[in-house]
Amino acid sequence: MASEPAKGDPFAASVQERMPYYLKRIQLFEQYAANQRARIEEARQANQEITLTLPDGKQRKAIKNVTTPQEVAKEISSGLAKKVVVAEVDGQPWDLARPLEADCAIKLYGFDDPEGKDVMSKTIIERCLVLTARARLLYLKWYSLKAVLCIMHKPFPAAASRTVLECASTLIRSGCSVVC
């Protein structure tokens, strides 16, 4: 499937070496995705109705294990659907693509809301840290020592009151050559 790595390219050689692992992970992902699509289609066929209660007290009907918060936002308005970044279902953070499972109270937050900013900041920070940590473990010799020390010894300033840009600026000012 993959071509031979270019001579002298250690990254390409490493990717080639790990290709069976990557292909297995892709196969597993596709299998899980197919199972999830089948579950959603089964729920769609069952057409079991649930009731969603919005913050203003209005109620909407939805289909159990099919309707997502993103779809609810689209039904309310296309503008809201474009702005919403996270939902809260019965007081718990809820991914916009995750189907709703039962009757619930639902709130939708955009990036302008403190809850939306908090969730997005934490999500971006967590993804950056996971990606840089993984890259650091796999490809340490391609990252500068300065960046590694920054990642290892300086906690990411993820206070709720700070934005992701402020956090990135802090890392850059501290001399970190790799943010994420």
Side-chain angles (χ1 to χ4, degrees), residues 16-88:
Q16 185 68 27
E17 178 185 315
R18 296 174 190 275
M19 190 56 69
Y21 170 78
Y22 298 145
L23 294 174
K24 178 66 176 171
R25 299 302 295 177
I26 290 168
Q27 178 187 12
L28 286 172
F29 173 81
E30 289 173 350
Q31 179 183 348
Y32 292 135
N35 290 344
Q36 182 64 16
R37 284 191 296 272
R39 273 189 237 127
I40 290 172
E41 187 55 39
E42 193 175 293
R44 185 172 280 122
Q45 295 297 323
N47 201 27
Q48 188 175 356
E49 208 171 75
I50 58 174
T51 302
L52 311 178
T53 306
L54 302 174
D56 63 2
K58 291 182 182 174
Q59 294 189 331
R60 291 184 171 267
K61 298 295 182 189
I63 301 173
K64 180 179 180 177
N65 293 323
V66 174
T67 305
T68 65
Q70 184 69 48
E71 292 168 349
V72 173
K74 282 180 192 174
E75 289 175 9
I76 294 171
S77 83
S78 61
L80 176 62
K82 290 176 185 175
K83 289 178 17 178
V84 70
V85 294
V86 70
E88 184 179 288

Side-chain angles (χ1 to χ4, degrees), residues 112-149:
D112 296 338
D113 301 310
E115 296 86 348
K117 281 183 185 172
D118 185 50
V119 167
M120 285 305 294
S121 296
K122 287 178 182 175
T123 301
I124 291 168
I125 290 165
E126 287 169 2
R127 287 183 181 174
C128 286
L129 290 175
V130 166
L131 288 173
T132 50
R134 184 70 179 146
R136 183 174 48 84
L137 288 172
L138 292 174
Y139 307 108
L140 184 59
K141 58 188 167 188
W142 290 287
Y143 284 88
S144 71
L145 182 58
K146 197 175 198 181
V148 172
L149 291 174

